[in-house]
Amino acid sequence: MSEHGHSNEDCADYLERIVYFLDNELDEADCSAVRLHLDECGPCLEKYDLQRTVKAVVARSCSSEMAPDALRARVRVQIREVQVRISEG
Protein backbone atom coordinates (compact mmCIF):
# COMPACT_ATOMS: atom_id res chain seq x y z
CA MET A 1 0.00 0.00 0.00
CA SER A 2 1.42 3.40 -0.94
CA GLU A 3 1.22 6.60 1.10
CA HIS A 4 -1.95 7.66 -0.75
CA GLY A 5 -3.87 4.55 0.29
CA HIS A 6 -3.94 2.59 -2.97
CA SER A 7 -1.76 -0.28 -4.10
CA ASN A 8 0.51 0.22 -7.10
CA GLU A 9 -1.39 -2.56 -8.92
CA ASP A 10 -4.70 -0.83 -8.23
CA CYS A 11 -3.39 2.47 -9.58
CA ALA A 12 -1.84 0.78 -12.62
CA ASP A 13 -5.23 -0.71 -13.45
CA TYR A 14 -6.91 2.69 -13.18
CA LEU A 15 -4.20 4.39 -15.24
CA GLU A 16 -4.94 1.98 -18.08
CA ARG A 17 -8.66 2.64 -17.73
CA ILE A 18 -8.10 6.42 -17.81
CA VAL A 19 -7.23 6.23 -21.50
CA TYR A 20 -10.61 4.65 -22.22
CA PHE A 21 -12.30 7.04 -19.79
CA LEU A 22 -10.90 10.04 -21.70
CA ASP A 23 -12.18 8.58 -24.97
CA ASN A 24 -15.65 7.87 -23.51
CA GLU A 25 -15.20 4.14 -24.11
CA LEU A 26 -16.24 2.86 -20.66
CA ASP A 27 -19.68 1.90 -19.46
CA GLU A 28 -21.26 3.96 -16.68
CA ALA A 29 -20.18 1.57 -13.89
CA ASP A 30 -16.53 1.75 -14.97
CA CYS A 31 -16.76 5.55 -15.36
CA SER A 32 -18.07 5.81 -11.81
CA ALA A 33 -15.25 3.61 -10.51
CA VAL A 34 -12.62 5.70 -12.31
CA ARG A 35 -14.16 8.96 -11.02
CA LEU A 36 -14.19 7.62 -7.47
CA HIS A 37 -10.57 6.51 -7.71
CA LEU A 38 -9.51 9.90 -9.11
CA ASP A 39 -11.36 11.65 -6.26
CA GLU A 40 -9.37 9.61 -3.74
CA CYS A 41 -5.97 9.34 -5.43
CA GLY A 42 -3.94 12.49 -5.99
CA PRO A 43 -1.13 10.85 -8.01
CA CYS A 44 -3.59 9.25 -10.43
CA LEU A 45 -5.51 12.53 -10.73
CA GLU A 46 -2.28 14.29 -11.70
CA LYS A 47 -1.58 11.67 -14.36
CA TYR A 48 -5.16 11.94 -15.59
CA ASP A 49 -4.83 15.72 -15.88
CA LEU A 50 -1.59 15.33 -17.81
CA GLN A 51 -3.10 12.82 -20.24
CA ARG A 52 -6.19 14.99 -20.69
CA THR A 53 -4.04 18.05 -21.41
CA VAL A 54 -1.83 16.20 -23.89
CA LYS A 55 -4.89 14.81 -25.65
CA ALA A 56 -6.44 18.28 -25.90
CA VAL A 57 -3.22 19.87 -27.23
CA VAL A 58 -2.76 17.12 -29.81
CA ALA A 59 -6.40 17.39 -30.90
CA ARG A 60 -6.13 21.15 -31.24
CA SER A 61 -2.81 20.96 -33.11
CA CYS A 62 -3.86 18.25 -35.52
CA SER A 63 -7.41 19.25 -36.32
CA SER A 64 -6.73 20.34 -39.89
CA GLU A 65 -3.88 18.05 -40.91
CA MET A 66 -3.32 14.32 -40.98
CA ALA A 67 0.08 13.04 -39.88
CA PRO A 68 1.86 10.53 -42.13
CA ASP A 69 1.26 6.89 -41.19
CA ALA A 70 4.91 6.33 -40.19
CA LEU A 71 4.81 9.28 -37.80
CA ARG A 72 1.51 8.15 -36.30
CA ALA A 73 2.95 4.68 -35.71
CA ARG A 74 6.04 6.12 -33.99
CA VAL A 75 3.89 8.34 -31.78
CA ARG A 76 1.69 5.39 -30.78
CA VAL A 77 4.79 3.40 -29.79
CA GLN A 78 6.13 6.30 -27.74
CA ILE A 79 2.79 6.84 -26.02
CA ARG A 80 2.63 3.16 -25.11
CA GLU A 81 6.20 3.32 -23.73
CA VAL A 82 5.21 6.28 -21.53
CA GLN A 83 2.09 4.44 -20.33
CA VAL A 84 4.22 1.43 -19.38
CA ARG A 85 6.70 3.65 -17.50
CA ILE A 86 3.84 5.38 -15.67
CA SER A 87 2.26 2.09 -14.67
CA GLU A 88 5.62 0.73 -13.48
CA GLY A 89 6.70 3.86 -11.69
Side-chain angles (χ1 to χ4, degrees), residues 6-18 37 44 47 83-84 86-89:
H6 296 275
S7 71
N8 289 336
E9 294 84 19
D10 192 33
C11 289
D13 177 55
Y14 280 99
L15 290 173
E16 284 186 35
R17 292 162 79 183
I18 284 171
H37 182 83
C44 286
K47 292 172 184 168
Q83 289 173 329
V84 168
I86 288 172
S87 67
E88 291 175 350

Side-chain angles (χ1 to χ4, degrees), residues 8 17 28 33 36 43 45 55 58 65-66 82:
N8 289 336
R17 292 162 79 183
E28 187 53 41
L36 179 62
L45 180 59
K55 185 174 181 67
V58 169
E65 297 180 33
M66 188 71 147
V82 169

Side-chain angles (χ1 to χ4, degrees), residues 4-89:
H4 61 279
H6 296 275
S7 71
N8 289 336
E9 294 84 19
D10 192 33
C11 289
D13 177 55
Y14 280 99
L15 290 173
E16 284 186 35
R17 292 162 79 183
I18 284 171
V19 174
Y20 299 107
F21 180 73
L22 285 169
D23 291 336
N24 297 314
E25 296 179 359
L26 295 177
D27 62 29
E28 187 53 41
D30 284 334
C31 285
S32 295
V34 170
R35 283 188 207 101
L36 179 62
H37 182 83
L38 292 175
D39 286 345
E40 297 174 348
C41 185
C44 286
L45 180 59
E46 288 177 20
K47 292 172 184 168
Y48 163 78
D49 286 338
L50 175 62
Q51 287 187 15
R52 185 185 62 188
T53 300
V54 168
K55 185 174 181 67
V57 168
V58 169
R60 188 174 51 238
S61 299
C62 299
S63 62
S64 63
E65 297 180 33
M66 188 71 147
D69 288 338
L71 175 59
R72 293 172 58 169
R74 286 195 341 246
V75 169
R76 277 194 295 269
V77 167
Q78 289 178 341
I79 289 171
R80 184 64 186 141
E81 288 173 356
V82 169
Q83 289 173 329
V84 168
R85 281 189 297 230
I86 288 172
S87 67
E88 291 175 350

